[in-house]
Amino acid sequence: MSETQVAQKSTTLFGKKERRLLTDPFNDNNPITVQVLGICSALAVTVAVKNALVMAVAVTLVTGFSNLIISLLRNTIPNRVRMIVQLVVIASLVSIVEMVLHAFQYDVYKQMSVYIGLIITNCILMGRLEAFAMANKPWQSLLDGIGNGVGYGAILIAVAFFRELFGKGSVFGFRVLPDWYVPNGLMLIPAAAIFLIGIIIWIQRSRNTKLVDIS
Amino acid sequence: MEYINIFIKASFVENMVLSFFLGMCSFLAISKKVKTAVGLGAAVVFVLTMTVPINWLISNYLLSENGIFHTDLTFLKLIIYIAVIAAMVQLVEMVVERFSPALYSALGIFLPLITVNCSILGGALFMDSREYELGEAAVFGFGSGFGFFLAIVAIAAIREKLRYSNIPAPLRGLGIAFIITGLMGLAFMSFIGIKL
């Protein structure tokens, strides 16, 4: 009898714990600025806001579903081959995303070229699978995956917004800055994205002092 | 001569880390000390040198239309590539464990981490999109690995020195590492003009 009660308690769909899973990745546990995961693809696709948005949606889908699938399978995967199993699940999902983009958003697909394939090695995926999905229930894992995907996407879009604004004087391809503004080519090279992330980390850590690195 | 060109291009002009910013996760996470950076760099050189030619063989003889199955199987490309990489890393881990326990304990956790190093899969995908020959692919793999090695050892050395400098507290650690990577990227841009 007591067992069923425990089970019922943990199946509330949006308890406090579940809400934390969704909101933590925005600040205290952001995948990019705190966990340092998934920076590789963050840099290449942030030249334009549109690409960043596509990337954010793609990564959110893949993190959510891979977390869900691995969490469902977690008790049947032998420990020695778990990495290969995880990678196969991720790779299948990414292949689906790639084919969908190829079919419906061909120009974005062309611009992002190898970086869609590189979602597979986006460390967020493996990191969340290892750290969360292997040890938690499917519903919580799905929320954790979506939360991390959105937290990742938020940084991506913020970086892309500034890069496109100052690098091309436009947002979403529409010119917003007046004509006298000369676009700054520095913002278009990948190094600018690194600087911007560095500055975002700086701002975040000066507001949230418990994240400061003491060493 | 062609091979030397590809090597120089892969390791300096188109450095995986500092020009394409691939493999950043392990680049930033494991560059606090030069010693561990050397270990990870050496492992990446080895894995890239092995996986790029193997993936070349697979994509040309198994997945292409002229291959064994006479059907276009390129939609399986991503899954096969990553499986080869994961299998290679597992193999390397077992071989190193068997024949050189000292090196194995020195590398420790970094070996399995290489599987999700973007530069490895990136190497395979670039090899694909640039249409190299087999020999060129092997040299390209080695050159890319060497470039990664150089970059990670360089930033580890800089970060070791940085521990003694007076950086604003919120910027310490990760923040400054990002900014230094950006500066190194700018420095590596000076290679872009070189035509080989």
Side-chain angles (χ1 to χ4, degrees), chain A residues 21-22 25-26 59-61 63-65 67 139-152:
Chain A
L21 287 177
L22 276 178
F26 277 100
V59 169
T60 308
L61 285 177
T63 45
F65 282 107
N67 258 12
W139 171 243
Q140 275 86 346
S141 303
L142 178 66
L143 288 181
D144 179 79
I146 292 173
N148 275 286
V150 174
Y152 167 84

Side-chain angles (χ1 to χ4, degrees), chain A residues 40 43 98 121 123 126 190 194, chain B residues 21 25 78 116 118 178-179 189:
Chain A
C40 327
L43 304 166
E98 193 183 14
T121 49
C123 327
M126 283 295 269
I194 300 242
Chain B
F21 295 98
C25 313
L78 288 177
V116 283
C118 324
F178 266 99
I179 288 175
M189 278 179 70

Side-chain angles (χ1 to χ4, degrees), chain A residues 32-41 43-44 80-81 83-84 87-88 91-92 94-95 98-99 114-118 120-123 126 186 189-191 193-195 197-199 201-202 205-206 212-215, chain B residues 19-26 28-29 32 75 78-79 82-83 86-87 90 94 97 112-113 115-119 121-122 125-126 129 163 168-175 177-183 185-186 189:
Chain A
I32 293 187
T33 61
V34 181
Q35 304 176 50
V36 210
L37 298 174
I39 297 149
C40 327
S41 51
L43 304 166
R80 274 203 84 91
V81 294
M83 286 192 97
I84 297 180
L87 283 169
V88 168
S92 323
V94 172
S95 297
E98 193 183 14
M99 285 178 220
V114 293
Y115 290 98
I116 302 171
L118 287 175
I120 296 177
T121 49
N122 193 323
C123 327
M126 283 295 269
L186 179 71
I189 61 174
I194 300 242
F195 290 138
I197 295 178
I199 292 167
I201 291 176
W202 190 0
R205 291 194 177 179
S206 48
V212 171
D213 206 342
I214 309 140
S215 65
Chain B
S19 308
F20 290 110
F21 295 98
L22 294 176
M24 286 297 296
C25 313
S26 36
L28 287 170
K32 282 185 183 144
F75 66 92
L78 288 177
I79 301 178
I82 199 70
Q90 195 96 49
M94 287 195 270
E97 191 181 10
L113 272 181
T115 318
V116 283
N117 188 324
C118 324
S119 60
L121 185 63
L125 292 175
F126 278 129
S129 65
R163 302 184 67 159
L171 198 59
R172 220 166 269 177
L174 195 56
F178 266 99
I179 288 175
I180 283 171
T181 313
L183 290 175
L186 285 183
M189 278 179 70

